């Protein structure tokens, strides 16, 4: 495996070298970097032209400039990148650092959401092949996949930002709208849960009654301006996750998995009260330490109590711990929301990645960054979600036709075990390729999204450099995206070997 990885890395360096040379030649021949100054009537035009020539080293031959860039870029291997200066004399390394952090914050979250939701939908539709749910999801995924990015972005900005900001000033939901939402939710839920016709009808009726009541009750509480959760809701939701995760993995009869999950639920309540004052005004390191503890402690509990099912017990307990930690953070965000609304009365912004000169504490800035991230993340996620769901469905259907799946069913194994323990793992092999290329592609492919939403990220740096015939920012963009594509492709191959031991041979 080590020899294989080294060979792949060596060939990857050759690909990067050839591609970088081709891109550099194309950029420097795409226009005149001094064109705007040649047409200028400024008195200091000659000085400005000479200054730009110095910044961009235009007095050197193109191959000398390229070799200079290559030498600076190669120093990234020792952590001392020198990517030159842009057309205004600003160090490109600093611009790249800011742009990459902005884009990665957007891309990582969108990719994670799309992968989790898309794979879950793909598995569900494969199990319910040719059902109403399957047809509905197929229609929606093709719809999302074919959406023009700029048009969908405009719709999101109008309805989820401008209209929502108008609505949140005085929240209201009419009774008729509440009933319509309840019926739609009931139809979707009965399709998800399935079962007999009687069970589907009962699910539809209960949901169609419960949802409108909860919507009107939330208006009465003024929940949308003063949201609240509390420890009781956190424990109930965490307990439901513990029960559902145990049922889906090994079944509720396996006490070696169920008991560690329920103990973790109780531990979430203890940690909630123990950390309450600390989380009133935390920092990033406090949250990171809390996340580590939320995964480490349940893992220890699951390992100690799991016995022969320790792996399943550890996985379920860690999921429960992570859920409890996430709900605790959401609870503190709810508490900070009214104060944030006083600072920023229109919370969902349509432009930029953060609000400049925003006052307030840690949670106010957390909410500001989150609301700025909301719209572009939704846009990128729903477009990527279509690919994940379709590929997962296709892979699951193919795997379910294999002999070992029929053998597992004929041995009397529970359908849950057949799907998640035998079929799902093998179905993930082609999905690993999609995830790797999707993440690498989104880093370079969020150009339109960043332009529409005014994000100062990798896409903005690329388009600005290209318009100005400035090769250094474009090459910095290529360095990140090209390296990401190659490394994630290599990572996908390594994941293959982890998922299927036969591939190692």
């Amino acid at each position: 495996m080590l020899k294989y990885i080294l060979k792949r890395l060596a060939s990857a360096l050759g690909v990067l070298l050839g591609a970088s040379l081709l891109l550099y030649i194309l950029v420097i021949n795409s226009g005149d970097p001094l064109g705007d100054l040649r047409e200028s009537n400024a008195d200091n035009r000659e000085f400005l032209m000479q200054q730009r020539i110095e910044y961009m080293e235009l007095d050197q031959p193109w191959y000398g400039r390229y070799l200079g860039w290559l030498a600076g870029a190669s120093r990234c291997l020792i952590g001392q990148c020198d990517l030159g200066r842009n057309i205004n004399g600003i160090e490109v390394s600093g611009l790249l650092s800011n742009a990459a952090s902005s884009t990665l914050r957007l891309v990582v979250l969108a990719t994670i959401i799309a992968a989790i939701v898309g794979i879950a939908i793909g598995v569900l539709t494969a199990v319910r092949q040719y059902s109403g749910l399957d047809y509905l999801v197929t229609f929606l995924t093709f719809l999302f996949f074919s959406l023009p990015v700029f048009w969908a972005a405009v719709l999101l900005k109008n309805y989820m930002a401008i209209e929502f900001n108008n609505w949140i000033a005085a929240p209201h939901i009419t009774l008729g709208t509440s009933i319509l939402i309840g019926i739609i939710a009931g139809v979707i839920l009965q399709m998800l849960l399935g079962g007999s016709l009687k069970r589907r009808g009962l699910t539809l009726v209960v949901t169609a009654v419960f949802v409108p009541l909860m919507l009107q009750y939330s208006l009465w509480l003024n929940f949308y301006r003063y949201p609240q959760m509390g420890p009781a809701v956190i424990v109930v939701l965490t307990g439901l996750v513990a029960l559902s995760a145990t049922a889906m993995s090994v079944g509720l009869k396996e006490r070696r998995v169920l008991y560690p999950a329920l103990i973790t639920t109780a531990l979430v309540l203890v940690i909630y009260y123990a950390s309450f004052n600390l989380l009133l005004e935390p920092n990033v390191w406090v949250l990171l330490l809390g996340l580590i503890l939320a995964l480490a402690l349940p893992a220890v509990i699951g390992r100690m109590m799991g016995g022969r099912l320790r792996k399943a017990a550890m996985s379920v307990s860690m999921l429960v711990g992570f859920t409890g930690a996430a709900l605790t953070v959401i609870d503190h965000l709810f508490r900070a929301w009214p104060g944030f609304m006083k600072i920023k009365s229109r919370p969902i912004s349509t432009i930029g990645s953060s609000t400049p000169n925003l006052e307030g504490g840690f949670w106010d800035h957390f909410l500001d960054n989150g609301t700025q991230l909301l719209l572009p993340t939704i846009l990128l996620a729903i477009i990527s979600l279509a690919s994940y769901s379709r590929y997962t469905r296709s892979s699951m259907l193919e795997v379910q036709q294999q002999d070992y799946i029929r053998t597992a069913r004929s041995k009397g194994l529970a359908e849950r075990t057949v799907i998640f323990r035998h079929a799902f793992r093998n179905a993930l092999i082609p999905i690993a390729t999609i995830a790797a290329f999707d993440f690498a592609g989104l880093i370079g492919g969020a150009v339109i999204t960043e332009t529409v939403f005014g994000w100062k990220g990798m896409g903005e740096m690329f388009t600005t450099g290209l318009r100005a015939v400035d090769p250094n920012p474009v090459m910095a963009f290529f360095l990140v995206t090209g390296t990401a594509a190659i490394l994630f492709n290599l990572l996908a191959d390594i994941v293959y070997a982890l998922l299927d031991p036969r591939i190692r041979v």
Side-chain angles (χ1 to χ4, degrees):
M1 179 61 76
L2 179 61
K3 182 179 179 181
Y4 169 75
I5 292 174
L6 292 177
K7 287 175 61 178
R8 286 292 303 272
L9 287 176
S11 62
L13 288 176
V15 171
L16 281 176
L17 183 63
S20 65
L21 176 61
L22 177 61
L23 181 62
Y24 197 91
I25 294 174
L26 290 174
V27 173
I28 62 176
N29 288 284
S30 62
D32 182 8
L34 301 174
D36 59 324
L37 294 179
R38 297 186 197 280
E39 300 174 358
S40 174
N41 295 321
D43 296 335
N44 61 341
R45 185 184 69 170
E46 296 300 325
F47 170 76
L48 294 175
M49 291 180 66
Q50 187 60 39
Q51 188 180 55
R52 185 172 295 181
I53 289 172
E54 180 183 347
Y55 288 155
M56 302 181 66
E57 300 178 341
L58 296 177
D59 53 343
Q60 297 185 22
W62 70 268
Y63 51 85
R65 293 158 57 196
Y66 171 73
L67 292 176
W69 175 85
L70 188 62
S74 63
R75 295 178 62 186
C76 292
L77 296 174
I78 58 174
Q80 298 178 357
C81 291
D82 181 12
L83 302 178
R85 292 182 289 182
N86 71 353
I87 200 169
N88 297 315
I90 302 174
E91 291 290 337
V92 173
S93 298
L95 296 175
L96 178 63
S97 177
N98 295 330
S101 63
S102 179
T103 296
L104 286 174
R105 183 155 53 101
L106 170 63
V107 169
V108 169
L109 184 60
T111 304
I112 292 174
I113 293 174
I116 294 175
V117 177
I119 290 174
I121 291 175
V123 172
L124 186 60
T125 52
V127 174
R128 304 271 187 81
Q129 187 184 15
Y130 302 135
S131 65
L133 175 65
D134 187 21
Y135 289 124
L136 177 63
V137 170
T138 300
F139 169 75
L140 291 177
T141 51
F142 280 115
L143 176 65
F144 292 152
F145 189 76
S146 61
L147 283 177
V149 175
F150 60 90
W151 180 72
V154 171
L155 291 180
L156 285 175
K157 291 171 72 170
N158 182 67
Y159 291 105
M160 293 196 66
I162 298 173
E163 294 296 333
F164 175 81
N165 288 332
N166 294 335
W167 179 83
I168 197 66
H172 65 283
I173 305 175
T174 64
L175 182 59
T177 303
S178 300
I179 294 173
L180 179 61
I181 294 174
I183 294 174
I184 294 174
V187 171
I188 295 175
L189 188 61
Q190 61 88 19
M191 294 174 67
L192 289 173
L193 297 180
S196 62
L197 185 61
K198 180 180 179 181
R199 178 179 172 180
R200 287 173 176 266
L202 182 61
T203 302
L204 173 60
V205 171
V206 171
T207 306
V209 173
F210 178 75
V211 170
L213 291 176
M214 289 304 298
L215 289 174
Q216 294 302 312
Y217 181 63
S218 65
L219 287 174
W220 180 75
L221 289 177
N222 202 8
F223 177 83
Y224 303 101
R225 291 190 66 88
Y226 299 93
Q228 49 193 300
M229 183 180 295
V233 176
I234 292 176
V235 170
V236 169
L237 293 178
T238 307
L240 290 175
V241 171
L243 294 173
S244 59
T246 304
M248 290 179 62
S249 58
V250 296
L252 293 175
K253 293 182 179 180
E254 291 291 352
R255 301 293 189 261
R256 292 184 179 90
V257 177
L258 179 61
Y259 288 163
L262 294 178
I263 290 174
T264 302
T265 301
L267 183 64
V268 166
L269 182 62
V270 174
I271 294 178
Y272 174 85
Y273 284 109
S275 63
F276 186 83
N277 291 329
L278 184 63
L279 292 179
L280 289 178
E281 196 60 42
N283 55 48
V284 175
W285 296 109
V286 170
L287 294 182
L288 183 60
L289 178 61
L291 177 61
I292 293 173
L293 290 176
L295 295 175
L297 293 178
V300 172
I301 294 172
R303 182 174 180 82
M304 293 176 60
M305 301 182 62
R308 63 181 177 83
L309 297 174
R310 63 171 61 93
K311 289 185 178 180
M314 290 174 64
S315 300
V316 172
S317 297
M318 290 171 68
L319 175 61
V320 174
F322 176 80
T323 303
L327 290 173
T328 300
V329 171
I330 293 173
D331 178 71
H332 283 274
L333 289 174
F334 279 1
R335 295 175 184 276
W337 180 257
F340 176 68
M341 289 286 293
K342 293 179 181 178
I343 299 173
K344 189 177 178 183
S345 58
R346 298 182 67 82
I348 310 297
S349 299
T350 57
I351 295 294
S353 57
S354 62
T355 303
N357 304 319
L358 182 76
E359 299 177 355
F362 174 83
W363 291 118
D364 296 313
H365 286 85
F366 191 100
L367 283 167
D368 178 60
N369 290 328
T371 52
Q372 298 280 115
L373 196 63
L374 181 65
L375 298 185
T377 298
I378 291 175
L379 179 62
L380 291 177
I382 62 174
I383 293 174
S384 299
L385 184 147
S387 299
Y388 283 107
S389 63
R390 298 309 297 171
Y391 276 103
T392 303
R393 178 183 181 275
S394 176
S395 183
M396 282 290 293
L397 290 175
E398 182 179 353
V399 168
Q400 289 187 81
Q401 302 302 317
Q402 302 298 317
D403 291 339
Y404 64 88
I405 297 296
R406 285 194 287 269
T407 302
R409 288 197 172 108
S410 65
K411 289 167 62 178
L413 292 179
E415 187 67 14
R416 174 189 61 252
T417 304
V418 173
I419 295 297
F420 290 104
R421 189 172 298 178
H422 295 277
F424 182 57
R425 180 172 178 174
N426 289 287
L428 280 178
I429 293 177
I431 306 303
T433 304
I434 303 301
F437 280 105
D438 186 58
F439 183 81
L442 278 178
I443 293 177
V447 176
I448 298 176
T449 304
E450 290 182 7
T451 301
V452 175
F453 288 104
W455 275 60
K456 300 297 182 181
M458 298 287 291
E460 192 270 343
M461 186 178 71
F462 173 80
T463 54
T464 301
L466 202 58
R467 281 196 297 265
V469 198
D470 187 2
N472 285 343
V474 177
M475 296 303 294
F477 172 87
F478 163 80
L479 185 64
V480 173
T481 55
T483 303
I486 289 173
L487 289 181
F488 276 92
N489 188 24
L490 176 61
L491 182 62
D493 291 341
I494 296 173
V495 171
Y496 287 169
L498 296 176
L499 292 172
D500 189 349
R502 294 173 299 177
I503 296 177
R504 302 173 198 172
V505 182

